[in-house]
Amino acid sequence: MPETAITTVSDAELRWQLMIRRIIHLLLPIVVMVPFLCEIDMPGKPSPLVKQIYYDLEALEPGSVVLFSLDFDPGSQAELAPMTVAALRQCFKNDLHPIVMTHWFSGLGLHKRLLEETAEEFAPDKKSGRDYVLLGFRPGGQSVILSMGDSITGAFDKDYYGKITEGMDALKDVDSLRDIDYALVLSAGGTIDGMWIPYGSDRYGFPIGAGCTAVMAPDLYPFEQSKQITGIIGGLRGAADYEVLVGAPDDATSAMAAQSFAHLYIIGLVIVANIEEFVRKRSKKRE
Amino acid sequence: MPEAPLERASSTRQIVEIVAAVVLLTIFLGASAWRQSDGLSSGTLAGTAEALGIIIAAGLTLIMYSFLYRDNPFFKAVENLYVGVGLGYGAVMTWHQALKPEVVEPIILAPSFGALGSALIVRGVPILLGFMLLTRISRKYSWPSRYSYAIMIGWYAGMGIPITIHTFILEQVNAAINPLFAPGASPLATFLSINTQIIVLVGTVSVLYYFFFSLEHKGAGKVVSRVGIIFLMVSFGASYGYTVMARISLLIGRVDFLLYDWLQRPRP
């Protein structure tokens, strides 16, 4: 089929198409770079879905335990790392105890860095084991969640650094998932609707907020409507909203102008391509 | 797939491309040496390693984007490097995070016979089932793996079916059936709520009807089916928009890295 298409297109036309394709690709990074180089600022208004997660965390008493399931790896770092840092900052600011775990072992090094750097930069007095815990990874997916439903220290007998979790100050009021005050699942695929909602919050009854890549966000709206999740931080836009809410604009906020410019560029391309297609079809009809 | 005639490089074009590659490499190395000079000449192992890491990451990023011009050996090499690094990292992490703490330490490195006994009681059967899965590598002796699969499928079906019905059907149906009039709500909120509920109702019914193939879609049914298509198209449009946003975000992440980490521009 494509070969037939190629044979019907003249060499000059094919050359022109290849050239156009390369120009489009070359222009995109330029369009993205311009706002960075010109330092254009385009702060947005946080959406209600993002605000809901922020207010849920704000409503927790100091000392409450917030479970972070960071189910992403460096491939999704651009979207999910900023919202992780913003939510961790909020936890440290409000004296909440973040417990960090993952179902994606490929991101473990990144999660460790995010947690340690945020703690060091934003709350240097916070100590691992006392104010926060990095549980790390356990194989098993849904089984790990069910096991945590029985006992968190049973599912993770040691933390990431090899310390025994039983008796840790940050976990002293937490036996199982039923004792978790809030869970924030920041995921690049599958673990929110595939694991944490059905096997976690629906079963053990703790509130859950979802942070996800933009690709996943439309699939999660039905769960927000059914109140199975309290809110959604969707993609870089959601991360920027969260940074604004926390009062610490950072990477995601500074990227919003670039995102808007790129969207305008794509919208322009879609319009031009549609007009071109419309004109081409019309001229064919005339022929 | 064979390249299109215009993609096949002529010898002149090859020379131009090689010269361009050499020039770009020189610019890249020059920019790296200039902007990362502090790290490279820091005198500490950590500083030098970090600077080298940034230069390598920047180089690999730019090589990956060279595919947008056309497929090339550098891109192929980096693509394979990515797969290899991913596999190697996965193997090491699986050892450290799963096999070593779950199998080796409690069984092989058990501190006492008592600890070994209790570890075998708890972990013996799962470990055995895990090893039985490895028999899949032989066609003749793969039958033990069926027992492992049977247990896995039985477990997941037993756990998953009621959970799936609850989470994905009952909860969603419950959320779709809401009263039109909320007691105590303002007129505007009631008006918006009624509109939302009607849209949800029309959308749900028409999309479900569109996927109902037992009846031919004609007459009034065709209209309902068409409405279903419109709802589906809106949904696909939203998904496409979000996908564009996600992909642009990844590009922004790399541009951010190149500008602020590699080229060391001061952050605003």
Side-chain angles (χ1 to χ4, degrees):
Chain A
M1 174 94 171
E3 279 174 21
T4 321
I6 284 170
T7 51
T8 56
V9 175
S10 69
D11 270 10
E13 207 173 332
L14 188 59
R15 191 170 285 127
W16 171 247
Q17 283 177 4
L18 286 170
M19 181 66 79
I20 284 288
R21 193 187 72 185
R22 283 168 184 159
I23 290 170
I24 287 171
H25 285 151
L26 184 67
L27 279 177
L28 184 57
I30 293 172
V31 166
V32 167
M33 262 186 228
V34 166
F36 281 113
L37 296 174
C38 300
E39 295 183 10
I40 298 169
D41 196 18
M42 288 177 83
K45 196 179 163 195
S47 76
L49 292 179
V50 179
K51 275 184 188 169
Q52 190 55 52
I53 294 180
Y54 174 78
Y55 291 134
D56 286 341
L57 286 180
E58 282 294 300
L60 296 176
E61 295 288 324
S64 301
V65 173
V66 180
L67 177 72
F68 279 73
S69 186
L70 304 182
D71 303 323
F72 62 91
D73 62 10
S76 317
Q77 180 182 355
E79 288 184 279
L80 294 168
M83 61 179 81
T84 306
V85 171
L88 283 171
R89 281 177 173 171
Q90 187 187 9
C91 286
F92 288 134
K93 191 177 85 180
N94 294 353
D95 281 329
L96 308 176
H97 292 165
I99 298 175
V100 180
M101 60 166 289
T102 182
H103 290 292
W104 286 34
F105 63 73
S106 50
L108 201 49
L110 172 65
H111 308 147
K112 174 178 172 279
R113 184 168 64 80
L114 291 174
L115 178 64
E116 288 178 351
E117 282 183 2
T118 310
E120 193 181 319
E121 174 200 336
F122 205 73
D125 54 323
K126 305 284 181 192
K127 294 274 175 283
S128 173
R130 190 189 69 191
D131 304 297
Y132 62 89
V133 183
L134 177 58
L135 291 175
F137 167 80
R138 280 286 177 280
Q142 294 95 328
S143 320
V144 176
I145 297 174
L146 293 173
S147 178
M148 291 171 79
D150 288 334
S151 164
I152 290 178
T153 51
F156 290 87
D157 54 341
K158 288 177 185 168
D159 71 356
Y160 176 81
Y161 307 100
K163 289 181 187 157
I164 305 288
T165 51
E166 186 82 54
M168 275 185 175
D169 283 349
L171 295 171
K172 67 174 184 242
D173 298 326
V174 182
D175 286 330
S176 71
L177 284 178
R178 292 180 205 279
D179 305 313
I180 292 289
D181 296 297
Y182 195 81
L184 190 55
V185 183
L186 305 175
S187 170
T191 58
I192 300 171
D193 52 344
M195 290 188 197
W196 279 107
I197 296 174
Y199 293 88
S201 63
D202 276 6
R203 199 174 164 88
Y204 299 107
F206 55 88
I208 187 169
C212 60
T213 57
V215 176
M216 291 167 59
D219 293 338
L220 293 177
Y221 277 85
F223 296 103
E224 194 280 327
Q225 199 205 349
S226 62
K227 308 292 175 208
Q228 288 168 286
I229 52 178
T230 64
I232 303 171
I233 310 174
L236 200 58
R237 166 84 250 178
D241 286 354
Y242 213 88
E243 286 180 354
V244 170
L245 286 166
V246 172
D250 207 340
D251 291 355
T253 313
S254 64
M256 275 307 98
Q259 184 106 46
S260 304
F261 272 53
H263 284 187
L264 284 174
Y265 175 65
I266 302 278
I267 290 167
L269 287 177
V270 170
I271 291 170
V272 169
N274 274 284
I275 291 171
E276 195 264 340
E277 181 69 10
F278 179 71
V279 170
R280 199 174 58 79
K281 271 189 179 171
R282 210 169 164 188
S283 63
K284 255 190 181 176
K285 260 188 187 174
R286 275 185 190 162
E287 279 169 19
Chain B
M1 207 176 86
E3 278 187 315
L6 286 169
E7 287 280 281
R8 207 176 296 132
S10 67
S11 56
T12 318
R13 188 171 159 181
Q14 276 182 344
I15 293 167
V16 171
E17 284 176 352
I18 290 168
V19 170
V22 171
V23 170
L24 288 173
L25 180 67
T26 312
I27 293 171
F28 171 75
L29 291 176
S32 299
W34 175 40
R35 302 308 295 177
Q36 295 293 328
S37 57
D38 288 349
L40 290 171
S41 58
S42 64
T44 62
L45 188 63
T48 312
E50 191 183 343
L52 278 175
I54 289 171
I55 292 169
I56 291 169
L60 297 180
T61 301
L62 294 173
I63 288 172
M64 289 308 278
Y65 283 124
S66 72
F67 182 76
L68 295 175
Y69 174 66
R70 75 192 191 111
D71 204 355
N72 60 76
F74 298 108
F75 172 78
K76 282 259 186 278
V78 174
E79 194 182 29
N80 288 312
L81 180 73
Y82 177 76
V83 174
V85 168
L87 278 173
Y89 186 73
V92 171
M93 292 304 282
T94 305
W95 168 258
H96 280 288
Q97 298 291 324
L99 286 172
K100 192 173 164 223
E102 304 293 340
V103 180
V104 175
E105 283 175 354
I107 306 284
I108 298 170
L109 304 176
S112 64
F113 277 111
L116 176 64
S118 43
L120 280 175
I121 290 168
V122 178
R123 298 165 193 267
V125 174
I127 290 170
L128 182 67
L129 289 168
F131 276 114
M132 280 159 68
L133 280 174
L134 298 176
T135 59
R136 296 294 295 178
I137 55 176
S138 159
R139 275 192 183 179
K140 199 175 171 187
Y141 299 107
S142 65
W143 58 267
S145 64
R146 290 183 196 159
Y147 293 98
S148 304
Y149 280 121
I151 289 170
M152 281 163 65
I153 291 166
W155 187 90
Y156 276 105
M159 283 304 300
I161 290 170
I163 282 175
T164 303
I165 290 170
H166 173 78
T167 301
F168 298 106
I169 299 176
L170 297 181
E171 289 281 351
Q172 293 301 316
V173 169
N174 187 36
I177 304 169
N178 279 325
L180 288 178
F181 299 96
S186 67
L188 179 66
T190 308
F191 175 72
L192 292 174
S193 165
I194 290 171
N195 278 325
T196 309
Q197 294 307 326
I198 289 172
I199 290 169
V200 168
L201 178 71
V202 172
T204 308
V205 171
S206 60
V207 171
L208 281 174
Y209 185 78
Y210 174 73
F211 287 107
F212 186 67
F213 302 117
S214 301
L215 277 177
E216 194 181 347
H217 293 174
K218 59 182 181 184
K222 192 175 177 183
V223 176
V224 178
S225 169
R226 286 271 165 189
V227 173
I229 291 175
I230 292 168
F231 273 94
L232 284 172
M233 288 300 155
V234 170
S235 153
F236 295 151
S239 292
Y240 173 71
Y242 267 112
T243 305
V244 168
M245 186 169 135
R247 302 299 174 239
I248 297 294
S249 301
L250 298 183
L251 175 64
I252 289 172
R254 293 328 291 162
V255 168
D256 183 281
F257 167 77
L258 290 173
L259 288 177
Y260 297 121
D261 293 314
W262 176 50
L263 292 177
Q264 299 276 309
R265 268 181 65 83
R267 282 191 183 271

